[in-house]
Amino acid sequence: MRLLSEPRPEYVEQCLSCGSAFFYFGASNKVSHNDQYSDEARYERYIEHANESSMAQRHEETLETLRLLLTDVEDPTLFDVGAGVGNFLAKARERGFRIAGNEVSQPAIDQCRRRHDIRLALGDNLQAIAANFGGHDAVTMWCVIAHVDDPDEFLRGARALLRPGGVLFLSTPRYCTIDRVALMLRRLTRDRYRSVFDRRINEKHRRQYSRRGIEALLLRERFMPIAIKSEIGYGLRMESYLDSIGFPRFLSKPIGRALEVSAKAGFLPRNVLNVYARAVG
């Protein structure tokens, strides 16, 4: 490992073998994600800033690929881990999947029920949930594995939710050009400007995976990678990203619009990994 961020007491290290980056809490207390998402007003703000049009397109593409990988199943079952307000599950239901999912956020569960009449399981112990919801043809997770304390254990839970030969899909933040530039900027300013770096990997997004890093994780937990693709996928509106790093408000709106156009044209860094893998053994 090499140190990317000096302890404050939190710090970031990068694996010299695979290039993935990891956030550590040092001497400070860990942050519970369950607590972060239990505040209804905070969750409402998150929904307000979501880039729904971009996510809708990504949902469609993912469901189409899952259908191609599950051609031998007439009515495939799909379990979405960390399903949020249920937009992906609702789209999957429209496409003929039988659906289920879970959430750690009660506000999200309530929103999902109100918006789509979908009832989610509360909790993040996937092994326990699998006792009642196991044997699925597909398990999906959107920007979830970057948040968890123990990704190996989390993938074991995903395996428990799947039938043998079932397909796992996950999308997760990728260590990419944005992070390298942010690190260079931090060092050139002697740590005075680090908002982009801190925005990318922090107590919420605890891991930025590389292709090699996510592949190694999958193989350890007996998943055979089918495809690992680096793609453009920004979950929030660009204006919101700029606001979050302290950009002047009068500039964040026009620059945000320009960045949205650039993202659609494929000109921005490929910031996520979209991963398909099959449960083996």
Side-chain angles (χ1 to χ4, degrees), residues 28-270:
S28 62
N29 293 325
K30 285 191 175 184
V31 176
S32 166
H33 288 300
N34 297 25
D35 293 340
Q36 287 178 32
Y37 300 121
S38 64
D39 182 270
E40 189 162 358
R42 185 182 297 177
Y43 200 80
E44 288 281 358
R45 286 195 299 273
Y46 169 76
I47 295 170
E48 180 185 344
H49 294 287
N51 193 337
E52 293 198 2
S53 61
S54 172
M55 290 305 299
Q57 180 179 346
R58 294 173 66 197
H59 290 170
E60 290 280 7
E61 292 168 355
T62 299
L63 290 168
E64 184 178 338
T65 302
L66 288 174
R67 272 295 195 181
L68 291 173
L69 294 171
L70 296 168
T71 52
D72 58 327
V73 184
E74 187 174 345
D75 298 307
T77 58
L78 182 150
F79 190 100
D80 192 34
V81 177
V85 298
N87 293 341
F88 177 68
L89 279 179
K91 187 65 67 176
R93 183 173 58 189
E94 289 177 14
R95 296 294 178 267
F97 288 84
R98 289 175 289 149
I99 59 168
N102 77 301
E103 250 300 338
V104 299
S105 165
Q106 188 61 53
I109 289 174
D110 295 340
Q111 285 271 359
C112 186
R113 187 180 65 254
R114 286 196 294 267
R115 290 184 177 208
H116 305 295
D117 194 25
I118 296 172
R119 285 160 174 75
L120 303 174
L122 175 64
D124 58 3
N125 187 332
L126 299 186
Q127 297 274 4
I129 292 171
N132 297 315
F133 293 96
H136 289 280
D137 299 301
V139 166
T140 57
M141 51 183 78
W142 295 86
C143 195
V144 175
I145 201 164
H147 293 260
V148 302
D149 293 324
D150 189 338
D152 293 80
E153 182 181 350
F154 199 69
L155 281 187
R156 283 177 219 129
R159 276 186 60 83
L161 286 165
L162 280 166
R163 65 167 171 81
V167 175
L168 170 71
F169 165 81
L170 66 88
S171 184
T172 192
R174 171 180 176 251
Y175 192 84
C176 66
T177 302
I178 300 172
D179 305 287
R180 289 188 284 272
V181 171
L183 181 61
M184 188 187 336
L185 184 60
R186 228 198 65 212
R187 288 174 174 168
L188 286 173
T189 61
R190 297 185 179 179
D191 225 30
R192 288 192 298 274
Y193 188 82
R194 55 179 298 150
S195 57
V196 176
F197 185 86
D198 289 343
R199 177 67 177 79
R200 287 281 293 168
I201 183 163
N202 50 56
E203 70 275 5
K204 299 174 185 176
H205 283 130
R206 299 175 188 177
R207 290 170 178 83
Q208 302 280 66
Y209 285 103
S210 67
R211 178 190 175 93
R212 289 178 64 187
I214 202 72
E215 184 176 36
L217 173 61
L218 291 166
L219 292 173
R220 279 201 306 272
E221 298 306 324
R222 294 183 297 144
F223 282 97
M224 182 57 62
I226 300 169
I228 303 175
K229 299 178 181 178
S230 54
E231 298 189 2
I232 297 173
Y234 295 89
L236 300 180
R237 297 196 306 272
M238 291 298 175
E239 181 183 346
S240 301
Y241 283 119
L242 295 175
D243 287 342
S244 72
I245 61 172
F247 229 74
R249 192 71 186 87
F250 73 96
L251 288 175
S252 62
K253 197 176 188 74
I255 294 177
R257 282 198 297 266
L259 289 173
E260 296 284 359
V261 172
S262 298
K264 288 179 182 177
F267 294 144
L268 293 191
R270 297 179 180 273

